Amino acid sequence: MLLMKTKHCTNMIGKTFSHSTALVYVIVLTLFCSCQMVEELRIKRIVNQTYGRQIDSQWMGLQLFEDTIVTVSDIVEKPITIITYEEYKLCTECLQKYINGAETLVGYFKSDIVEFIAIIVPREDYSEIQNIIKEIDCNKVKVICDINQDFFSKNHLEKIPKKLNGYLLDKDHRVVVIGNPLTSNYVGDSYKKILPPMIKDG
């Protein structure tokens, strides 16, 4: 009799534990899905607010050249501009691939009215980046350091996930596409569809 009761209790404890585990799993899954939905809604709100926004071309940064670094206060000079923001300190090899990718992308459009501005965060030593720039056409690609780390605040922009921290600007410096064409194939393909008509219209 005692054995049966013990077995019955063990079974009840097992069932209760199974139900508890399942309940915890459901709660965690629900919270995860909710967090994902909240994040997606946040991104959607930011994207909607950013379209058509005018980027302040007077924002100040440090432009890197192979033999010098100069302070610039008018970064946008051409009718069509692609701006990306890399907020992480990429390794030298990664940064080289990134900048080479930018030059390849601009070269794809075969137009002098398109430029790529790669904004990076401050570093202690810029010599490695300057070595990379030696091979780059500075009429196509600019590398600019956000020395005060105020690009987003000055332009009243909110940071979004890395793949979206890129902007295609028209001749009025207004955002027409959001996304980084170097980190997202989908965004890159979108740029290749949207840019040719813009170039044709001058």
Side-chain angles (χ1 to χ4, degrees):
M1 184 74 175
L2 182 63
L3 184 62
M4 286 179 65
K5 282 185 178 179
T6 305
K7 190 175 179 182
H8 177 69
C9 288
T10 304
N11 287 341
M12 284 191 65
I13 290 168
K15 286 179 182 177
T16 304
F17 181 75
S18 295
H19 288 307
S20 299
T21 304
L23 185 61
V24 168
Y25 178 76
V26 169
I27 291 169
V28 169
L29 190 62
T30 304
L31 286 172
F32 177 74
C33 292
S34 298
C35 289
Q36 239 180 351
M37 283 179 62
V38 168
E39 181 62 10
E40 284 175 12
L41 288 171
R42 185 183 79 85
I43 292 170
K44 190 174 180 181
R45 174 184 59 79
I46 293 171
V47 167
N48 287 337
Q49 287 176 350
T50 305
Y51 275 118
R53 178 158 289 174
Q54 194 171 37
I55 297 297
D56 182 8
S57 64
Q58 298 299 310
W59 166 80
M60 190 173 289
L62 294 180
Q63 185 171 356
L64 308 181
F65 295 94
E66 62 173 288
D67 54 358
T68 187
I69 300 173
V70 298
T71 301
V72 290
S73 59
D74 193 1
I75 64 168
V76 180
E77 295 178 342
K78 295 190 179 182
I80 300 173
T81 309
I82 302 166
I83 293 180
T84 64
Y85 195 101
E86 267 303 320
E87 60 182 318
Y88 302 102
K89 291 184 179 179
L90 297 178
C91 70
T92 305
E93 187 181 343
C94 295
L95 189 58
Q96 184 165 17
K97 286 180 182 177
Y98 191 86
I99 295 172
N100 288 341
E103 188 175 40
T104 301
L105 180 66
V106 174
Y108 172 87
F109 300 109
K110 297 179 173 63
S111 173
D112 292 332
I113 67 170
V114 180
E115 72 177 341
F116 192 108
I117 298 174
I119 301 175
I120 61 171
V121 295
R123 301 187 180 217
E124 291 178 9
D125 182 16
Y126 293 104
S127 59
E128 288 183 343
I129 302 173
Q130 287 176 296
N131 284 331
I132 295 169
I133 294 171
K134 287 179 184 177
E135 309 298 324
I136 299 296
D137 183 349
C138 289
N139 290 315
K140 292 180 179 178
V141 179
K142 293 178 184 175
V143 178
I144 296 179
C145 175
D146 184 3
I147 191 65
N148 296 315
Q149 298 190 55
D150 60 358
F151 173 78
F152 288 98
S153 61
K154 287 279 185 182
N155 287 289
H156 308 290
L157 297 170
E158 284 190 57
K159 286 185 181 180
I160 39 183
K162 188 177 179 181
K163 288 185 180 180
L164 293 175
N165 278 336
Y167 311 92
L168 174 60
L169 311 182
D170 64 13
K171 60 185 174 60
D172 298 316
H173 308 159
R174 294 191 183 279
V175 177
V176 293
V177 179
I178 297 170
N180 189 331
L182 301 183
T183 56
S184 167
N185 291 331
Y186 174 77
V187 174
D189 290 341
S190 297
Y191 274 59
K192 288 175 181 177
K193 289 176 184 175
I194 292 166
L195 263 164
M198 290 176 68
I199 293 167
K200 191 176 178 181
D201 293 341

